[in-house]
Amino acid sequence: MTTAASASPSGFDWSKIPAPVDDGAMDHVKNAKIADVELAATDGARVSLARLAGRVIVFAYPRTGVPGEPSLADDWDQIPGARGCTPQSCAFRDLHKVLVSAGAAKVFGLSTQDTAFQAAAVERLHLPFPLLSDENLALAKAMNLPTLQVAGHTLLKRFALVIDDGRVSQVFYPVFPPDRNAADVLAWLEANPRR
């Protein structure tokens, strides 16, 4: 029998790894104004989510790996919410045009990895949107975003935001399984069109 967690667009059986729990770490973000922090983007721009007009989708993830290279930690898959950054990004890639048709003016991925690493991921995964780097944790600190510590690195926990003219309209947290996050965001956009 297939469970909701194991029935996955990417074909991965998510029931084999621990799911993250809602620890309340994003409760304060809904309806909050986004901090005016400039982040480096893989398209060469500097982006402040607070200054963008329209409906913006941001999905955050701990870090993308590189095929053939070891994980950041031997127990990476056993850290709730750690695994799945590439499937999450690819789901947003695959639904990008539909998300835009449903009202998203912009879509961004967000992690604490540096822009050079992210740029390689954009190329490797053929992402049609930029990734934003919060390498110095400026946005994470300003917004008190949830993080985790792995092998000496501070990583963002996985979440997604719908931001309307610099204010958070919807929070998706925790996100599990990660490859369904884009579809969940799309369903919300379709049910909540901008007026």
Side-chain angles (χ1 to χ4, degrees):
M1 179 174 171
T2 303
T3 65
S6 64
S8 165
S10 66
F12 183 80
D13 184 356
W14 296 102
S15 67
K16 299 197 178 298
I17 63 172
V21 297
D22 190 349
D23 55 7
M26 289 291 285
D27 291 353
H28 66 286
V29 176
K30 188 164 183 190
N31 299 317
K33 190 157 176 44
I34 289 287
D36 189 359
V37 173
E38 283 195 348
L39 301 172
T42 52
D43 63 2
R46 303 274 312 162
V47 175
S48 171
L49 297 168
R51 294 185 223 151
L52 295 179
R55 179 161 272 181
V56 176
I57 309 303
V58 178
F59 67 95
Y61 56 91
R63 65 183 286 119
T64 54
V66 176
E69 290 188 8
S71 298
L72 189 59
D74 290 340
D75 62 348
W76 181 255
D77 285 359
Q78 297 310 307
I79 301 168
R83 183 179 174 128
C85 303
T86 296
Q88 182 186 23
S89 297
C90 290
F92 276 95
R93 175 199 66 203
D94 295 346
L95 289 177
H96 182 256
K97 288 181 181 174
V98 187
L99 290 163
V100 171
S101 294
K106 300 264 186 193
V107 176
F108 296 102
L110 172 69
S111 77
T112 59
Q113 290 171 293
D114 66 50
T115 305
F117 193 98
Q118 290 179 330
V122 167
E123 184 175 333
R124 183 174 67 252
L125 302 175
H126 309 287
L127 301 181
F129 49 79
L131 300 179
L132 303 176
S133 174
D134 194 15
E135 181 181 9
N136 297 319
L137 303 173
L139 184 64
K141 289 175 182 173
M143 295 291 298
N144 193 27
L145 299 175
T147 59
L148 61 149
Q149 300 292 321
V150 180
H153 297 270
T154 302
L155 309 175
L156 291 171
K157 288 188 178 181
R158 192 180 314 281
F159 61 84
L161 304 175
V162 178
I163 305 167
D164 288 312
D165 299 318
R167 186 169 297 278
V168 178
S169 296
Q170 182 64 15
V171 175
F172 297 84
Y173 178 84
V175 169
F176 192 82
D179 60 353
R180 282 208 302 248
N181 186 211
D184 291 341
V185 171
L186 176 60
W188 189 91
L189 292 179
E190 291 174 339
N192 298 276
R194 289 202 73 183
R195 301 187 200 291

